[in-house]
Amino acid sequence: MSKLLVVAVAAGIPDRVAGAVDPEALEWWRVELARVKEIRDPAVRRTARAELEEERDRRRRGGTHNDTNSAVVLPHLLVELDSRGWLHRDWEPVGEGHARLAGRPWGVRRGSRGELPARLRVWLPTDVDEVLRRSTWHVSAPYVRRLRELAGLPRALSGAEKAEVARLERYVVTTGDVMRAAVNRLKVAN
């Protein structure tokens, strides 16, 4: 299974990712899939298809089968998560009521991440999507909690409190922030 993530990115990034798609990987998949489809026995064909998909997915995670935009980004995302120390942590599930909230996280204002006019659509394996969502939620949680406390004050914020809000907002990490960092790794790799 996989999950779709749509990320706001700088102009030109979707084209850069698409430019890294490997035509040889596309051809490998076409040839191997055609071979599997020729198998007459349905049970054998299902097994062969599952094994082929498993091999393709293993290659994608390893960065050797870049047949889609998602496959191009995935190994860079895994490196980014690992470099932050988040990939192999046992993250608790996201808090009740927060698991799949749409929109910007608390503490992230429209435009606060810069001008990001383009959109990159990436399908992530479910396990990677869960690590990404859980890690960003938990890393940001203490800052979001304090931002909510400050927002709930029954008076105008003092100058020091406004400065604290600005500081706390910089520590809120979104899934988009991590994906953009992964895509920036792609720029260095190519």
Side-chain angles (χ1 to χ4, degrees):
M1 295 288 308
S2 58
K3 300 279 185 167
L4 176 64
L5 186 64
V6 180
V7 183
V9 294
I13 295 294
D15 291 336
R16 180 176 289 120
V17 171
V21 171
D22 181 5
E24 289 180 20
L26 290 168
E27 181 62 14
W28 175 85
W29 178 251
R30 189 189 66 73
V31 168
E32 291 301 312
L33 188 58
R35 183 184 58 75
V36 167
K37 286 180 177 180
E38 290 176 1
I39 299 171
R40 293 247 186 248
D41 183 322
V44 174
R45 185 173 52 247
R46 273 192 304 275
T47 300
R49 173 74 185 245
E51 289 171 356
L52 179 61
E53 288 176 0
E54 191 174 297
E55 173 63 16
R56 179 201 58 202
D57 293 347
R58 185 189 64 72
R59 289 177 177 205
R60 282 178 172 173
R61 283 181 185 255
T64 61
H65 190 78
N66 295 329
D67 63 334
T68 65
N69 288 353
S70 302
V72 167
V73 173
L74 179 60
H76 299 288
L77 175 59
L78 294 171
V79 168
E80 182 63 30
L81 288 167
D82 194 39
S83 73
R84 293 173 184 242
W86 298 354
L87 185 60
H88 301 292
R89 281 189 58 183
D90 187 21
W91 297 100
E92 292 293 322
V94 172
E96 188 67 31
H98 298 278
R100 294 287 180 239
L101 292 179
R104 293 179 304 279
W106 188 277
V108 177
R109 288 175 279 144
R110 181 176 294 282
S112 66
R113 300 295 194 222
E115 291 301 316
L116 304 170
R119 298 293 177 266
L120 179 65
R121 296 169 48 95
V122 178
W123 287 92
L124 297 177
T126 304
D127 63 320
V128 176
D129 178 71
E130 278 301 309
V131 169
L132 178 61
R133 290 182 188 283
R134 288 180 183 195
S135 61
T136 56
W137 191 85
H138 285 289
V139 165
S140 300
Y143 308 109
V144 170
R145 239 185 329 274
R146 180 63 180 146
L147 286 165
R148 285 186 172 165
E149 288 172 7
L150 291 167
L153 291 176
R155 58 173 170 73
L157 297 180
S158 69
E161 289 166 334
K162 288 178 183 177
E164 182 182 4
V165 165
R167 181 184 61 79
L168 292 170
E169 287 175 343
R170 287 192 300 268
Y171 290 109
V172 175
V173 180
T174 68
T175 56
D177 293 332
V178 178
M179 287 297 296
R180 284 184 289 277
V183 171
N184 286 337
R185 289 178 177 277
L186 174 67
K187 287 192 267 187
V188 172
N190 288 342

